[in-house]
């Protein structure tokens, strides 16, 4: 067995890691298996170790935050979780299943959904069509049914239409269902990305800087919406954010990355007072 | 005051377009089908000298025009199928002629096998089977080509499709097929050199000698017209039904953003394959249809032909089926009609093409078109104000369109400078004063004796107008009434009288 496989089997035996040293899982989730476990996850690009020894456990309905300065490797972690990159070391166990060797499409079908830092919408399609793409694997019918326009086609299309409007109403966007996605304002595009990700019926939602470019009022609205999404859909959410008010306001457990390594993990209060975290963001206090 | 103005603004409904986007799309598709059917009816009738051509006194169809319809059908099918790959799937395919040539060769072999070999009489039946066989062969080759090719991106995919088309063309140019009817029906194949003896030659390497769609030795043109039309309708059905479905959306998403599509759980290669193979099948059928004209030989299905179909698609618009039909028809007929120019034919054709491309992408021209179109469809901003009982209906959740909203006032064409006010509902007021002409506004207001009062008005979301705005509207109404009554005003729409005193 390779060293990597050895490491994996060792850690798969000890699923529930003792708290609070390695994980912050909310009280309500203590008796259920966590939705995500990463063990010594790392990726190396040539000589550069972009992420090193990343351990994280996320509870089934937890809102977790991943913060750190720019270039710390947060989006790289997301890419490894969604299998855009294959990690060079460590393992990801999602919903009890080992994610090694899975493709992006398989990861999506297992229940991980994500938004992108630089918005990746389908610009030439309308808002509703973008959400319906999310519903692709939820409400299905075959191509033959579509070509012959059998009754199942009309039933499923209507169901998709209704579900899409339902999802859009989370952000109050049903009115712009027929607008071309590329012509939406920036904030609306970000929200559409979140709706599209939700449409895939995920168990874990990864949000990459959802509050980027939003004013304080919009950020507060977003905070409430995220909490509402977690309550209504009963999913876990992992956020990458730079806006501390959002992170401290809504995240139950926060993990801080710097230069690819975890430097702190804990609740909002613990992180706020952690000197290592402060140094990472603001630099060391000058002596004298 | 400012707050109420913005409240009013929020309830402004722009009725700038008559139909919703979904309705417009359905209209677009229906129009495409109708147009194709109309074209067929007119040309078929003209060919057979039926009643319609007599009606328009079109006279006898000329020899050259007779020969346009079937090739145009074939090229429309080829172009629309390429639009599926280039426009909807977002992949540049430079090898479309390869699939057409497979359809062409298969078509000739199968058709002659059925008619000359097995003696099938019914041209429609034999053509149907021929088309099926041609489409199937082209689809199989399309599948085999697609498996390695569609994993590539952008430029690499384009070059490899070009190479595949060249390979197919070269292989088919070395294929010799002849039909032997002496001892039962047999097809004789020779590859790569012609070692055949006896039998009627069907495919002779770079040339082909036994065209399809023939009754005996003559081409059955009316039947081919019907078959061409049927093929175009089939293509439209397939392309429209495929693109307006779950699969179609997935294909379009792979065009717009590959990584995002994968993250949504859409297998990208599989959907690109669906588009590619469907396009190959349709191109094969189109190629078979071209086999009725001896002007097309296996050697003709080269890169020039692939590029030509691509030009049809690009000029018609990526993802625009109706546009592709127009551009294909225009660009096929144009060089034919320019034949009188002899040596200068292709020069003029190229100039027309450049002109058309530049015009259709020029923002100034687009601006002119938009302004002409907007003259036709006047944009009307309207502010709708409601009575108190409607307010309760809104609170209960009804919207302005539906239930018991009593619209007291509709301010139409409420642009920045216009203040045309048009009252609706309400009974005529018998206390309306008779006013002479040329009376200044203040005098009018004074003469009207006090103010015109309306019941309290509400906007569509239930907020009442403040006193200031209410008064201004009442005054404006009063003035308008007076203006209209003095005979000078142009009445916009129905005037049901003023407000209640």
């Amino acid at each position: 067995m390779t060293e990597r496989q050895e490491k994996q089997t060792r850690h798969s035996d000890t699923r529930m890691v003792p708290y609070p040293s390695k994980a912050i899982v909310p009280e309500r989730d203590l008796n259920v298996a966590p939705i995500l476990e990463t063990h010594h996850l790392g990726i190396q690009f040539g000589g550069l170790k972009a992420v090193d020894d990343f351990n994280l456990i996320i509870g089934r309905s937890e809102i977790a935050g991943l913060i750190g300065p720019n270039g710390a490797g947060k989006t790289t972690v997301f890419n490894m979780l969604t299998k855009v990159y294959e990690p060079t070391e460590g393992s990801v166990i999602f919903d009890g299943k080992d994610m090694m060797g899975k493709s992006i499409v398989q990861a999506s079908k297992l229940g991980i959904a994500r938004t992108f830092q630089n918005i990746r919408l389908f610009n030439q399609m309308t808002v509703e069509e973008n959400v319906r793409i999310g519903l692709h694997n939820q409400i299905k019918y075959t191509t033959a049914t579509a070509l012959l326009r059998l009754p199942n086609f009309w039933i499923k299309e209507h169901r998709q239409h209704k579900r899409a409007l339902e999802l859009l109403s989370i952000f109050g966007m049903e009115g712009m269902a027929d607008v071309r996605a590329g012509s939406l304002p920036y904030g609306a595009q970000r929200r559409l990305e979140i709706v599209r990700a939700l449409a895939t019926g995920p168990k874990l939602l990864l949000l990459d800087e959802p509050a980027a470019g939003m004013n304080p009022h919009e950020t507060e609205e977003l905070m409430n919406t995220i909490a509402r999404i977690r309550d209504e859909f009963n999913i876990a959410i992992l956020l990458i954010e730079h806006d501390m008010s959002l992170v401290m306001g809504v995240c139950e457990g926060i993990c801080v990355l710097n230069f690819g390594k975890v430097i702190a993990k804990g609740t909002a209060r613990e992180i706020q007072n952690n000197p290592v975290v402060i140094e990472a963001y603001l630099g060391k206090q000058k002596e004298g | 005051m400012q707050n109420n103005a913005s409240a009013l603004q929020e309830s402004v409904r722009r009725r700038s377009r008559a139909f919703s986007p979904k309705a417009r799309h359905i209209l677009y598709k229906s129009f495409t089908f109708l147009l194709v059917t109309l074209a067929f009816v007119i040309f078929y009738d003209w060919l057979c000298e039926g009643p319609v051509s007599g009606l328009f006194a079109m006279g006898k169809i000329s020899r050259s025009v007779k020969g346009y319809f079937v090739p145009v059908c074939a090229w429309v099918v080829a172009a629309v199928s390429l639009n599926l790959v280039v426009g909807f799937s977002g992949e540049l395919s430079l090898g479309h002629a390869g699939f057409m040539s497979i359809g062409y060769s298969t078509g000739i072999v199968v058709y002659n096998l059925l008619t000359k070999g097995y003696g099938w009489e019914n041209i429609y039946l034999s053509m149907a089977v021929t088309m099926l066989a041609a489409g199937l062969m082209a689809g199989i080759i399309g599948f085999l080509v697609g498996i390695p090719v569609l994993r590539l991106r952008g430029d690499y995919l384009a070059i490899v499709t070009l190479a595949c088309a060249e390979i197919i063309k070269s292989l088919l140019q070395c294929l010799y097929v002849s039909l032997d009817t002496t001892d039962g029906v047999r097809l004789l194949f020779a590859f790569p050199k012609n070692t055949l003896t006896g039998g009627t030659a069907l495919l002779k390497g770079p040339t082909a000698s036994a065209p399809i769609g023939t009754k005996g030795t003559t081409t059955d043109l009316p039947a081919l017209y019907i078959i061409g039309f049927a093929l175009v309708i089939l293509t439209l059905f397939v392309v429209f039904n495929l693109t307006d479905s779950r699969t179609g959306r997935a294909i379009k998403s792979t065009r717009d953003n590959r990584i995002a599509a994968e993250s949504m759980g859409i297998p990208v290669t599989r959907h690109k394959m669906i588009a590619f193979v469907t396009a190959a099948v349709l191109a094969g059928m189109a190629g078979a249809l071209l086999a009725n004209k001896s002007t097309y030989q296996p050697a003709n299905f080269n890169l020039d032909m692939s590029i030509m179909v691509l030009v049809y698609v690009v000029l018609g618009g990526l993802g625009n089926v109706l546009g592709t039909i127009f551009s294909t028809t225009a660009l096929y007929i144009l060089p034919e009609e320019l034949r009188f120019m002899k040596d200068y034919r292709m020069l003029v054709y190229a100039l027309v093409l450049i002109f058309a491309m530049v015009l259709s992408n020029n923002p100034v021209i687009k601006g002119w078109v938009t302004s002409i179109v907007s003259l036709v469809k006047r944009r009307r901003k309207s502010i709708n104000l409601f009575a108190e009982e409607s307010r309760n209906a809104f609170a209960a959740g009804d919207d302005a369109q539906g239930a018991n909203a009593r619209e007291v006032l509709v301010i139409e064409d409420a642009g920045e400078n216009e203040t045309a006010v048009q009252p609706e509902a309400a009974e005529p007021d018998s206390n309306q004063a008779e006013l002479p002409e040329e009376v200044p506004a203040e005098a009018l207001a004074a003469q009207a004796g006090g103010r015109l009062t309306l019941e309290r008005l509400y906007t569509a979301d239930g907020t009442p107008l403040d006193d200031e705005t209410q008064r201004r509207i009442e005054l404006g109404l009063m003035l308008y009434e007076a203006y209209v009554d003095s005979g000078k005003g142009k009445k916009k729409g129905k005037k049901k009288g003023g407000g209640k005193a």
Side-chain angles (χ1 to χ4, degrees):
Chain A
M1 272 208 285
T2 64
E3 193 188 78
R4 184 169 171 213
Q5 282 173 318
E6 257 190 317
K7 258 191 181 171
Q8 280 174 324
T9 41
R10 257 189 289 140
H11 285 279
S12 323
D13 300 334
T14 57
R15 290 274 211 76
M16 300 300 273
V17 179
Y19 311 122
S21 60
K22 288 215 176 194
I24 306 292
V25 175
E27 289 282 314
R28 62 181 181 276
D29 289 337
L30 281 177
N31 294 322
V32 268
I35 187 75
L36 180 76
E37 295 170 54
T38 65
H39 302 290
H40 303 291
L41 191 65
I43 188 165
Q44 188 160 354
F45 296 112
L48 171 70
K49 250 198 148 77
V51 175
D52 191 15
D53 196 25
F54 180 78
N55 298 292
L56 184 68
I57 298 191
I58 300 181
R60 217 122 289 235
S61 62
E62 177 181 353
I63 302 182
L66 187 61
I67 64 175
N70 277 316
K74 309 187 291 291
T75 305
T76 313
V77 167
F78 267 28
N79 285 338
M80 283 195 285
L81 293 178
T82 54
K83 307 307 292 181
V84 173
Y85 297 151
E86 183 69 36
T88 51
E89 56 180 49
S91 66
V92 176
I93 301 188
F94 178 76
D95 201 15
K97 305 183 187 79
D98 189 359
M99 298 279 280
M100 183 164 86
K102 295 237 185 310
S103 68
I104 307 177
V105 172
Q106 284 171 314
S108 166
K109 287 190 175 156
L110 280 177
I112 296 187
R114 74 172 293 177
T115 65
F116 293 89
Q117 190 173 8
N118 43 341
I119 305 173
R120 282 182 178 275
L121 283 178
F122 305 119
N123 285 319
Q124 295 189 54
M125 299 165 76
T126 65
V127 164
E128 190 186 326
E129 284 180 332
N130 270 271
V131 179
R132 280 184 172 199
I133 296 285
L135 294 170
H136 189 262
N137 286 321
Q138 302 297 309
I139 302 172
K140 306 194 254 201
Y141 53 85
T142 60
T143 311
T145 315
L147 283 174
L148 298 170
R149 292 292 201 246
L150 300 177
N152 194 31
F153 168 81
W154 301 106
I155 296 171
K156 294 284 169 66
E157 283 283 299
H158 179 70
R159 208 177 288 175
Q160 275 197 353
H161 175 70
K162 271 190 32 200
R163 182 81 186 128
L165 290 180
E166 252 176 58
L167 287 162
L168 284 170
S169 67
I170 298 172
F171 284 103
M173 288 170 71
E174 339 59 282
M176 46 174 99
D178 290 322
V179 174
R180 203 177 142 271
S183 61
L184 284 178
Y186 182 79
Q189 283 186 340
R190 280 218 164 267
R191 275 170 252 145
L192 176 59
E193 274 239 339
I194 298 176
V195 173
R196 190 183 61 173
L198 271 176
T200 58
K203 300 191 181 108
L204 172 66
L205 180 62
L206 305 176
L207 299 177
D208 203 337
E209 300 198 30
M214 287 191 184
N215 63 40
H217 174 64
E218 289 172 331
T219 307
E220 201 186 312
E221 261 181 45
L222 183 67
M223 216 158 73
N224 296 326
T225 311
I226 289 176
R228 224 179 60 214
I229 290 172
R230 190 271 304 270
D231 295 333
E232 275 178 28
F233 291 80
N234 204 26
I235 57 175
I237 299 178
L238 178 61
L239 285 180
I240 290 180
E241 230 343 295
H242 286 292
D243 188 324
M244 286 305 137
S245 61
L246 178 67
V247 174
M248 302 303 170
V250 82
C251 293
E252 287 157 341
I254 302 173
C255 177
V256 188
L257 273 183
N258 194 13
F259 295 118
K261 293 190 174 58
V262 175
I263 56 175
K265 254 198 273 197
T267 59
R269 198 162 300 134
E270 287 170 16
I271 297 293
Q272 269 167 345
N273 299 322
N274 191 322
V276 187
V277 175
I278 295 171
E279 186 188 321
Y281 274 101
L282 299 174
K284 225 181 170 104
Q285 184 107 30
K286 245 168 109 165
E287 300 303 319
Chain B
M1 185 59 209
Q2 208 54 28
N3 283 338
N4 255 285
S6 49
L8 274 175
Q9 293 281 22
E10 276 162 25
S11 65
V12 164
R13 284 183 309 187
R14 277 174 187 271
R15 285 188 249 150
S16 64
R17 281 191 152 128
F19 300 102
S20 73
K22 290 203 177 90
R24 264 184 283 140
H25 188 64
I26 294 177
L27 234 78
Y28 168 87
K29 288 195 283 188
S30 324
F31 182 68
T32 314
F33 276 105
L34 265 155
L35 191 72
V36 170
T37 314
L38 196 70
F40 167 68
V41 164
I42 291 176
F43 276 88
Y44 188 75
D45 201 85
W46 199 7
L47 176 76
C48 304
E49 283 164 47
V52 179
S53 64
L55 205 66
F56 293 109
M58 294 205 284
K60 196 166 173 3
I61 191 169
S62 74
R63 200 187 144 92
S64 56
V65 174
K66 226 200 298 199
Y68 285 166
F69 190 80
V70 177
V72 164
C73 282
W75 289 116
V76 162
V77 172
V80 170
S81 63
L82 186 61
N83 210 337
L84 194 57
V85 177
V86 179
F88 290 102
S89 182
E91 298 295 341
L92 183 60
S93 169
L94 291 175
H96 219 53
F99 300 123
M100 292 175 77
S101 71
I102 293 173
Y104 171 90
S105 309
T106 316
I108 288 182
V109 169
V110 172
Y111 185 79
N112 288 287
L113 181 67
L114 293 175
T115 49
K116 296 204 181 100
Y118 292 115
W120 285 24
E121 294 286 323
N122 190 339
I123 186 174
Y124 297 108
L125 195 60
S126 36
M127 280 303 290
V129 176
T130 309
M131 290 285 178
L132 263 151
L136 196 68
M137 268 313 278
I140 292 172
I141 304 292
F143 185 79
L144 294 172
V145 165
I147 292 175
V149 162
L150 288 170
R151 282 157 218 277
L152 303 169
R153 314 276 176 101
D155 304 333
Y156 304 102
L157 192 147
I159 292 170
V160 176
T161 50
L162 193 164
C164 286
E166 285 298 310
I167 292 172
I168 292 169
K169 186 191 80 153
S170 305
L171 289 174
L172 284 172
Q173 279 191 276
C174 300
L175 185 65
Y176 295 86
V177 180
S178 65
L179 183 67
D180 188 3
T181 46
T182 48
D183 247 338
V185 179
R186 277 189 315 152
L187 277 177
L188 305 168
F189 292 87
F191 183 88
K193 286 207 168 48
N194 190 1
T195 51
L196 296 172
T197 47
T200 23
L202 302 178
L203 295 175
K204 293 182 291 199
T207 59
S209 64
I212 60 161
T214 51
K215 251 203 178 104
T217 49
T218 52
T219 319
D220 187 356
L221 212 50
L224 278 176
Y225 268 46
I226 294 176
I227 290 159
F229 169 66
L231 186 61
V232 173
I233 295 289
L234 175 72
T235 308
L236 290 179
F237 248 114
V238 168
V239 170
F240 281 144
N241 283 0
L242 186 64
T243 53
D244 290 335
S245 74
R246 176 177 164 258
T247 320
R249 281 190 293 271
I251 293 173
K252 285 188 269 188
S253 75
T254 60
R255 165 197 68 189
D256 285 348
N257 208 311
R258 196 192 178 106
I259 293 180
E262 272 185 311
S263 304
M264 295 288 121
I266 292 173
V268 169
T269 309
R270 189 188 332 156
H271 284 280
K272 290 204 188 277
M273 279 290 279
I274 292 173
F276 195 71
V277 171
T278 312
V281 168
L282 292 170
M285 292 181 168
L289 194 61
L290 285 176
N292 87 298
K293 268 182 106 106
S294 58
T295 44
Y296 297 106
Q297 299 292 317
N300 287 126
F301 292 87
N302 51 14
L303 179 63
D304 285 348
M305 188 183 278
S306 295
I307 303 263
M308 194 166 70
V309 187
L310 191 62
V311 167
Y312 295 161
V313 169
V314 171
L315 188 59
L318 295 178
N320 186 351
V321 173
L322 183 62
T324 311
I325 295 178
F326 281 130
S327 66
T328 312
T329 321
L331 288 180
Y332 177 81
I333 293 176
L334 183 67
E336 302 294 325
E337 288 298 311
L338 289 178
R339 275 193 197 281
F340 67 93
M341 288 197 180
K342 296 188 199 122
D343 291 335
Y344 298 97
R345 182 169 74 106
M346 290 319 284
L347 176 65
V348 174
Y349 174 65
L351 284 171
V352 169
L353 202 58
I354 292 171
F355 201 54
M357 292 280 187
V358 168
L359 271 185
S360 62
N361 285 305
N362 188 329
V364 175
I365 308 276
K366 277 187 184 165
W368 291 348
V369 174
T370 322
S371 58
I372 291 172
V373 168
S374 68
L375 277 178
V376 174
K377 303 188 255 180
R378 262 181 351 135
R379 270 188 303 163
R380 301 155 106 235
K381 249 203 285 189
S382 67
I383 302 174
N384 299 59
L385 299 167
F386 302 88
E388 163 134 42
E389 55 245 44
S390 321
R391 191 189 190 205
N392 302 326
F394 295 157
D398 295 324
D399 89 324
Q401 293 286 54
N404 317 296
R406 182 157 69 92
E407 271 180 306
V408 174
L409 194 63
V410 176
I411 304 174
E412 300 213 304
D413 282 327
E416 285 90 314
N417 301 319
E418 289 174 86
T419 46
V421 171
Q422 179 190 357
E424 281 183 38
E427 316 77 18
D429 187 10
S430 50
N431 294 336
Q432 208 73 45
E434 296 291 314
L435 293 163
E437 299 179 51
E438 302 286 351
V439 179
E442 310 82 67
L444 275 176
Q447 190 152 24
R451 45 194 281 181
L452 174 78
T453 48
L454 297 172
E455 57 194 275
R456 173 66 52 183
L457 296 169
Y458 292 84
T459 57
D461 56 351
T463 48
L465 293 184
D466 69 344
D467 287 347
E468 181 66 25
T469 322
Q470 179 93 11
R471 196 191 73 77
R472 280 167 160 255
I473 289 180
E474 284 161 0
L475 186 63
L477 253 180
M478 225 164 58
L479 291 171
Y480 177 78
E481 291 294 327
Y483 184 56
V484 162
D485 284 341
S486 68
K488 286 182 115 180
K490 242 192 314 187
K491 288 179 229 192
K492 289 191 184 178
K494 274 187 288 189
K495 175 182 165 307
K496 288 192 197 141
K500 291 184 277 206

